[in-house]
DNA sequence: ATGTAAACCGACTACCTAGTTTGTTACTAT
DNA sequence: ATAGTAACAAACTAGGTAGTCGGTTTACAT
């Protein structure tokens, strides 16, 4: 096999199973040996490609987490259609993967933020960057919605974005152990109730 | 000193600093030695009073966390007044302690739920019990609000409770690193927008 | 074919962790 | 006063952890 390809392959394998294990068992509760065992690789291989456990994790955040958040939570809401529908559908899909116990990257992000909060400033910076990107793009979508006459012009887009993200992170935390399907249904309904409150009023029909 | 009193004192000291350290550094990232060092106590003392780290934590959840959640998040919303004001004021105070970087027990609960999710079913059961108590009492308050004519009678109280808790847990996660005061302000405003959407309509004034 | 460097192996260090055990105080009932 | 026991002290076990290092394989250029 081509050397460069092999290099890329092993690095990506490590990062992929690394993310899976960090996600399911937590960062501090997952050893590098756990990851290597899964791949039948050795310590030498790991420290040849990565300089430390911390740097390894940061590369995962940038290569996997950030990109997935972008493709699953940002791109889908970039259009000029009704922003309420764009966001609803996006959340709906993200929560549906959660119901099926698959990896939902918005949640993974929130989970890691909880784990590193006040414990590892360096990692937190990278996680906050990803969160910020999500927030900024949500604000853009909401501003577009105002411009296109969907959202009431008195609405504070930043506040709405924060509120949406926080409620999403929160519901995902709650969904893990108790009746995720029912929770999803209720949550999505209340999100729509909330949207109703900030939609543009048709004052003169 | 009376022996029984001494026993109680040391146990409570251990639990108190135990909670503080578990909260700031995380459970898996805090060793028993860390806690004992803080109190100048020995392993012997710890294992004389508690059977394991896990049981120690569970006692903390029941003795400290559950009671604080009750006194800070449940009792304050038990009246027959306007439920929106009761809940708003309650959240307002909880988030204010968060701004001042003090221990906010609703958040501590959410934080621990994140940490033990899918990793320790026994501990998760106890944490979920506390969460459930909060949820049930929120539903009660909302039902009272419907009965007393504050909340629209078509409202799904369970869904609203879930939505409120999840958004609270989420905003707390976000508040830790970035401009907590501004986040609090925006969040509280959107909560009130949401409340407006489910308040009882005065159809015949 | 052969030198060379990338990619990897696996034993090793130094340190940390939960839990055990044996020994020592200090209180307290008689 | 003294025996008994509650409340602790501290050394120890057994297992795990991140990171290092000298050696081995594999691929590729010449």
């Amino acid at each position: 096999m081509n050397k460069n390809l092999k290099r890329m392959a092993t690095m990506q394998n490590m990062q992929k199973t690394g993310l899976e294990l960090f996600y399911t068992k937590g960062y501090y509760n997952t050893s590098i040996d756990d990851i290597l065992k899964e791949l039948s690789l050795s310590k030498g291989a790991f420290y040849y490609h990565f300089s430390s456990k911390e740097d390894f994790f940061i590369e995962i955040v940038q290569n996997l987490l950030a990109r997935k958040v972008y493709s699953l939570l940002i791109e889908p809401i970039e259009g000029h259609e009704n922003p309420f529908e764009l966001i609803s559908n996006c959340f709906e899909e993200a929560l549906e993967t959660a119901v099926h116990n698959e990896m939902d990257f918005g949640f993974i992000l929130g989970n890691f933020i909880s784990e590193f909060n006040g414990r590892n400033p360096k990692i937190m910076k990278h996680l906050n960057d990803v969160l910020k990107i999500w927030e900024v793009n949500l604000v853009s979508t909401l501003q577009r919605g105002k411009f296109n006459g969907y959202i009431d012009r008195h609405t504070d887009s930043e506040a709405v974005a924060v509120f949406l993200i926080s409620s999403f992170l929160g519901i995902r935390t709650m969904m893990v152990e108790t009746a995720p399907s029912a929770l999803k249904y209720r949550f999505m309904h209340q999100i729509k109730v909330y949207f109703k409150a900030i939609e543009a009023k048709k004052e003169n029909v």
Side-chain angles (χ1 to χ4, degrees), chain A residues 130-188:
Chain A
V130 180
L131 193 64
K132 205 76 201 170
I133 293 173
W134 186 16
E135 189 185 327
V136 165
N137 279 278
L138 252 175
V139 170
S140 296
T141 294
L142 294 167
Q143 293 283 31
R144 259 199 314 278
K146 272 159 89 169
F147 184 82
N148 292 333
Y150 291 105
I151 299 177
D152 187 279
R153 60 198 152 85
H154 301 97
T155 305
D156 178 354
S157 297
E158 297 249 6
V160 174
V162 165
F163 191 66
L164 287 174
I165 291 178
S166 63
S167 62
F168 180 82
L169 293 181
I171 195 67
R172 282 298 285 111
T173 301
M174 296 181 70
M175 275 175 75
V176 186
E177 294 272 325
T178 41
S181 183
L183 279 184
K184 175 198 158 192
Y185 178 81
R186 285 174 177 162
F187 177 79
M188 288 308 302

Side-chain angles (χ1 to χ4, degrees), chain A residues 5 59 70 90 104 127 139 149 151 161 181 184-185 195:
Chain A
L5 283 181
E59 291 211 24
Y70 194 86
C90 181
D104 153 20
L127 293 172
V139 170
I151 299 177
S181 183
K184 175 198 158 192
Y185 178 81
F195 280 159

